[in-house]
Amino acid sequence: MQREVAAIGDRFAVQGEFVLGEEIQSGHINSTYRATYRQPDGSHQRFIFQTINRNVFKDPQAVMRNVEMVTRHINSKVLRVKKDLGGQTLNLFPARAGGSWVEDENGGVWRCYNHIEGCLTYDVVENTRQAYQASRAFGSFQDLVSDLDASRIVETIPDFHHTRKRYDRLMQAVAEDRCGRLAEVEAEVEFVRRREGLVDRLLDLSAAGEIPVRVTHNDTKINNVMIDAETDEAVCVIDLDTVMPGLALYDFGDLVRSATSPAAEDERDLSQVRMRMPIFEALVEGYLDAAGNFINNAEAENLPLAGKLMTLEVGIRFLTDHLEGDVYFKTHRAGHNLDRCRTQLKLVEEIENCENEMNTFIRKVRRGKR
Ligand code: GN1
Ligand code: MG
């Protein structure tokens, strides 16, 4: 692996002598490596090399053009306000041959980012401060990209959060049962079927013009924000591959999905999966502090629904992938996607049990902020 990482590094305009490459295991889609380079003065500089999953992103060049546009836009705005970047934003390093990506001999597309130093990512949120900070960071991100020309952004994964299509695809996988796995997941399929009415809710609000299409992040999983290891302050939002026109509620909903439970996404002991209301409340506070002045009433009122819906959607996607033979998400053990699906469905139930409380909280906070 060292040799491959070093060889990719040689093709980017990174300075110094290659010391070490390490794979970063989090993330279900792309493959990511951290590389360390020794500088002439003896210090070390680190970079991120990442290859784009071509099975998921059919047009990696379009992904790169989107990412170029988004990073450039954010950098120029942050620079105007802060006057220096200080490693606080994501930057693409140019390839030696020009452009911002290189292709390897297998047609794989690679890019190189700066490594955000002094930060950690969390798969499970430890405290309300981290939740508040992460949510505020994604709200600010939406604000930062709100004036991007959406017509120039390519929809890199069409219908990414079209929950109705996700549902229909699951039912198709159920009908086909290609891998003979249906018998063991009937309870999960039934759970989803009973909630079919949910899958159109945001689509309907959007079609009725009640919630607008914006440029959104679309993958606001809690480990996609870099958090300062000492201060727990959110420093930088990462994973920009699915920045596309979408609904603000997709982003908030995925935060609820990925941050409120204290259990890992693939936890097998489902009794550990639960809704932590203080974390939910911190997410709401953080999001409204950044986005409260541009989202509309319908968006604000539907924050709890978004959490439930996005959790159901990802549960549906894991279940579909399990039935289709684990062809989309990276898996590390047999039944991995099914384990992931089960935590999501358990969290949907938890959200259902707390929904009144969540809605009451939203009303209370919004009254306070008016
Ligand atoms: C994938 O790449 P990663 O791990 O941040 C997926 C998300 C899912 C998430 C579930 C492009 O995100 O949509 O919500 O897994 N990304 C893509 O953990 O499909
Ligand atoms: Mg990702």
Side-chain angles (χ1 to χ4, degrees), residues 28-320:
H28 299 339
I29 307 293
N30 298 322
S31 297
T32 310
Y33 302 86
R34 174 172 41 220
T36 306
Y37 285 77
R38 192 181 301 110
Q39 302 305 309
D41 67 0
S43 67
H44 286 108
Q45 201 179 349
R46 303 199 282 182
F47 299 89
I48 296 291
F49 300 135
Q50 192 176 48
T51 176
I52 300 177
N53 182 328
R54 296 202 78 143
N55 181 39
V56 168
F57 295 101
K58 307 294 179 200
D59 185 352
Q61 279 86 358
V63 171
M64 289 311 296
R65 283 192 294 273
N66 280 0
V67 173
E68 279 174 13
M69 216 185 311
V70 172
T71 50
R72 220 178 276 145
H73 185 80
I74 290 181
N75 281 328
S76 70
K77 281 177 105 172
V78 172
L79 198 57
R80 238 175 288 151
V81 180
K82 280 202 188 154
K83 306 289 182 226
D84 84 285
L85 291 173
Q88 306 297 296
T89 58
L90 214 50
N91 292 288
L92 287 165
F93 273 79
R96 290 195 193 274
S100 65
W101 70 84
V102 303
E103 267 186 62
D104 64 24
E105 60 278 11
N106 308 315
V109 171
W110 291 79
R111 62 285 181 74
C112 171
Y113 287 114
N114 54 316
H115 184 267
I116 311 278
E117 295 296 340
C119 291
L120 297 170
T121 59
Y122 294 88
D123 293 334
V124 173
V125 161
E126 293 170 345
N127 54 51
T128 53
R129 180 167 166 78
Q130 290 170 357
Y132 173 88
Q133 284 283 322
S135 192
R136 200 178 68 171
F138 280 115
S140 306
F141 180 87
Q142 287 181 343
D143 194 14
L144 277 168
V145 295
S146 61
D147 56 343
L148 257 177
D149 180 359
S151 68
R152 290 180 57 216
I153 298 193
V154 177
E155 204 180 348
T156 48
I157 305 180
D159 297 323
F160 191 52
H161 287 305
H162 196 297
T163 319
R164 163 56 62 184
K165 289 193 180 170
R166 297 289 188 184
Y167 179 91
D168 291 347
R169 168 100 179 251
L170 171 63
M171 291 310 150
Q172 193 187 330
V174 165
E176 289 173 4
D177 190 20
R178 239 178 277 160
C179 304
R181 293 176 175 178
L182 181 60
E184 58 169 348
V185 301
E186 289 200 330
E188 286 74 18
V189 173
E190 189 47 35
F191 182 100
V192 174
R193 265 210 185 102
R194 280 202 306 271
R195 287 159 183 79
E196 181 179 354
L198 268 180
V199 304
D200 298 311
R201 293 277 297 276
L202 291 184
L203 293 164
D204 287 349
L205 282 171
S206 171
E210 289 191 39
I211 52 179
V213 173
R214 305 176 183 279
V215 176
T216 48
H217 184 282
N218 296 308
D219 188 4
T220 57
K221 189 157 141 178
I222 194 66
N223 66 13
N224 278 334
V225 53
M226 306 288 304
I227 297 191
D228 188 294
E230 271 170 22
T231 64
D232 272 349
E233 233 168 89
V235 171
C236 178
V237 162
I238 59 171
D239 197 351
L240 309 176
D241 298 337
T242 49
V243 174
M244 298 182 277
L247 304 180
L249 289 173
Y250 295 152
D251 286 356
F252 183 78
D254 204 42
L255 274 166
V256 174
R257 174 190 82 79
S258 61
T260 52
S261 171
E265 189 180 63
D266 59 359
E267 174 61 56
R268 287 193 177 111
D269 174 5
L270 294 181
S271 70
Q272 295 196 36
V273 178
R274 51 191 181 81
M275 162 55 62
R276 291 179 291 180
M277 274 305 287
I279 299 286
F280 173 77
E281 293 172 5
L283 292 176
V284 170
E285 299 268 8
Y287 184 66
L288 290 181
D289 279 351
N293 60 349
F294 64 81
I295 61 167
N296 70 21
N297 279 336
E299 288 172 308
E301 279 163 15
N302 284 294
L303 293 172
L305 171 71
K308 182 167 67 169
L309 195 54
M310 294 309 292
T311 309
L312 181 67
E313 181 183 285
V314 175
I316 288 173
R317 292 174 62 198
F318 285 141
L319 186 54
T320 306

Side-chain angles (χ1 to χ4, degrees), residues 18-29:
F18 179 81
V19 181
L20 175 75
E22 307 148 89
E23 182 161 9
I24 297 180
Q25 295 283 358
S26 79
H28 299 339
I29 307 293

